[in-house]
Structures are given as structure tokens and as C-alpha cells.
Amino acid sequence: AHSQAVGAPKIPSVSWQDIGGLHEVKKEILDTIQLPLEHPELLSLGLRRSGLLLYGPPGTGKTLLAKAVATTCTMTFLSVKGPELINMYVGQSEENVRNVFARARAAAPCIIFFDELDSLAPNRGRSGDSGGVMDRVVSQLLAELDGLHSSKEVFVIGATNRPDLLDSALLRPGRFDKLVYVGVNEDRESQLQVLSAVTRKFKLDPSVNLSSILEECPAQLTGADIYSLCSDAMMCAVKRKVEWIEEGLDTESSALVLTMEDFLQAAAR
Ligand code: ATP
């Protein structure tokens, strides 16, 4: 019943321009997915790679990257959070895993995005339930991944903060055999690229200097930190505009413009 409630997978609309920085990571992902999709004849020898694993701290853009590659390659996107598939009823968790792959094949070309993969496929033996539910889930997942070789148009992207917890069988050739690190933005240049990407569609007052905003922020920032900075700045601008409208100084139809002050207030938080 649960999987029926989730609609058919759609093609997302995330463009590469929405993603700041991460140039190397973008290239790796495109090479893995776009190249074989466009030139299947070159990979007819069975050396095909069907999965890659994005790992790194939360909020660094893993989901966004997976969606952008689906958009670029005109593929549907099926997002699954590891814990969602685990069910206490006997056999149901394996069935859920099977269903995910069946839905993906029906919606091919499709990318299955497994978020929190470590919770779906923890190291067998370590979880202390040998022969138990997690064991069977991992076996099912491995069987489905191996089956992907015959359905050329389904790819899997896994995401995890803890690759060390994954069952090592998942990382063997032909499965999630390409590991790509997605990290925190530690230098101002890459932070600036993210900030520019996030504010790309905003209307900014000429007073806004993106580099100076970052000077007011901590040295290390994830994409999610920068995103939340921008949404705070947006809230400041909205509140100001509402006040102005109430005082008759502005109209609802005029564009929302973000000022340097909005960003500085947001950064101060
Ligand atoms: P989690 O591990 O928690 O699932 P994640 O790595 O998948 O995190 P995302 O969900 O992709 O992170 O990103 C969180 C938010 O931060 C998103 O709303 C996204 O818009 C923004 N964001 C993250 N990285 C970037 C980036 N490089 N450029 C623009 N926005 C970003």
C-alpha cells in the first residue's frame, strides 16, 4: 500500500547551475552515468558500471547532484530513504527492495537514489542478526544490483555519511563500485560559488557583495548552511516589504529585492 501511495517517478528539474562548486564530483558522476547511456555500444563487453556512491557529511549536495544528473540525462528519479524500506513484517523489507527496482525498470531510464544507504545495508555480521531481516535485505539488494546488468537503463546512486558501516559486498565491481567524496566547502572561493548558485534567481540590490557576506560566516560551510543563510535573508526582505506595503510605501506587485543588510542580519544569526 505504501509504495502505491508514492506516485510514478518523475524527471527532476535541477540544473547544474543550481549547484555551486563540486566541479570534480559533477564530472565523475557524468562520466559514470551519461557516457554509458549515450554510448551503450562502447560498454557492451559487460564491464558496465551501474552504481556509484556519494559519501560525505550531511547537507553537502549529494541529493542535489543525483537529481541534476537525472535532469541532464532525461531520466526519472526514484528517491528512497534506507529506513523507509525496513519493515517489521517477515519478508516485507525484501519485498520493498524488489518493488523499488521493479518500479525503476518500469520508469526507465531511471536513477534510483538510495539515501542513508548505511541503514539499508549495514555490514552483515556486525548488525548482530545473522540470518535476520537486515541480512536478507542486503542479499536482496545485492541480487537486484547484479540484475541491473541486463536492464541497461537503470542506475543506482547511493548516499551515506558513514561508508565505513556499509556491507563491503556492496562496493564490489558492478555494484556501488565508484566512491565519490562530497565534502564541506572549506575555502571562500567554493563557498562563493555555492552562494552565487543559490542566489542566482534572486533579485539583489547593488549593495550586495557576496564575498563580504561570507567574511561574516564561519570558515567551514556546507551547501545546506549557505542555503539556510539565503532563506533567512529572504525572510528579512519579505518582512521589510510587508511593513512597507502596510505603510503604503511599496506595492505587492513590485519585485522582492534582497539587500546587503538582509544578508548581514542573516549571517549574524
Ligand atoms: P543529506 O546527507 O542530509 O541527505 P545531502 O548531501 O543530500 O544531505 P542536499 O539535500 O543535496 O544534501 O542539500 C541540502 C540543501 O543544501 C539543499 O536544499 C540544497 O539546495 C543545498 N545545497 C547543498 N549543496 C549545495 C551546492 N553545492 N549548491 C547549491 N545548493 C546546495
Side-chain angles (χ1 to χ4, degrees):
H2 172 73
S3 58
Q4 278 164 6
V6 191
K10 292 198 183 71
I11 300 170
S13 54
V14 173
S15 94
W16 292 113
Q17 286 174 294
D18 295 328
I19 306 180
L22 303 173
H23 303 292
E24 281 306 307
V25 184
K26 286 181 195 175
K27 270 218 301 264
E28 294 268 21
I29 300 182
L30 282 174
D31 285 354
T32 306
I33 295 179
Q34 191 175 38
L35 220 56
L37 201 63
E38 290 180 353
H39 301 281
E41 72 286 357
L42 300 179
L43 288 116
S44 55
L45 297 175
L47 298 175
R48 188 174 157 270
R49 171 172 279 151
S50 39
L52 63 85
L53 182 70
L54 304 177
Y55 70 100
T60 46
K62 297 184 284 298
T63 309
L64 210 57
L65 284 160
K67 283 187 176 167
V69 74
T71 306
T72 308
C73 300
T74 333
M75 301 171 85
T76 59
F77 188 78
L78 180 54
S79 177
V80 186
K81 276 203 190 338
E84 288 172 358
L85 297 185
I86 306 303
N87 189 293
M88 59 190 216
Y89 293 104
V90 175
Q92 189 59 50
S93 305
E94 299 96 289
E95 180 67 23
N96 290 346
V97 172
R98 244 193 314 275
N99 284 341
V100 165
F101 283 85
R103 285 178 62 209
R105 280 191 295 270
C110 180
I111 289 178
I112 312 176
F113 181 68
F114 284 105
D115 206 358
E116 303 176 41
L117 184 62
D118 48 284
S119 62
L120 191 62
N123 212 330
R124 283 171 298 177
R126 231 209 243 182
S127 54
D129 80 336
S130 176
V133 64
M134 291 318 295
D135 241 24
R136 285 181 277 122
V137 167
V138 176
S139 305
Q140 184 64 41
L141 187 58
L142 294 176
E144 295 290 350
L145 290 171
D146 293 343
L148 286 185
H149 295 285
S150 49
S151 56
K152 293 190 178 59
E153 298 198 314
V154 177
F155 286 87
V156 286
I157 298 181
T160 180
N161 310 321
R162 294 292 308 271
D164 54 308
L165 295 183
L166 286 177
D167 192 287
S168 56
L170 272 181
L171 308 178
R172 298 226 182 95
R175 299 170 181 167
F176 293 98
D177 59 357
K178 175 89 194 170
L179 270 69
V180 182
Y181 179 70
V182 188
V184 175
N185 301 289
E186 299 190 358
D187 58 289
R188 293 299 186 205
E189 181 50 37
S190 64
Q191 293 168 5
L192 185 60
Q193 290 169 356
V194 178
L195 187 55
S196 306
V198 176
T199 55
R200 161 175 96 90
K201 290 178 180 160
F202 292 9
K203 210 167 165 51
L204 302 178
D205 185 80
S207 64
V208 174
N209 178 322
L210 297 180
S211 301
S212 315
I213 296 167
L214 290 168
E215 294 310 320
E216 306 302 316
C217 297
Q220 300 211 342
L221 296 168
T222 63
D225 293 333
I226 294 171
Y227 184 86
S228 99
L229 172 82
C230 292
S231 66
D232 283 355
M234 170 81 84
M235 270 326 290
C236 289
V238 167
K239 279 191 200 151
R240 187 184 57 249
K241 188 171 170 72
V242 168
E243 275 172 28
W244 284 8
I245 290 170
E246 285 171 355
E247 289 169 24
L249 300 169
D250 201 344
T251 64
E252 276 181 54
S253 57
S254 72
L256 184 72
V257 179
L258 278 73
T259 65
M260 189 63 178
E261 187 52 32
D262 297 327
F263 282 100
L264 292 178
Q265 275 188 31
R269 291 194 210 137

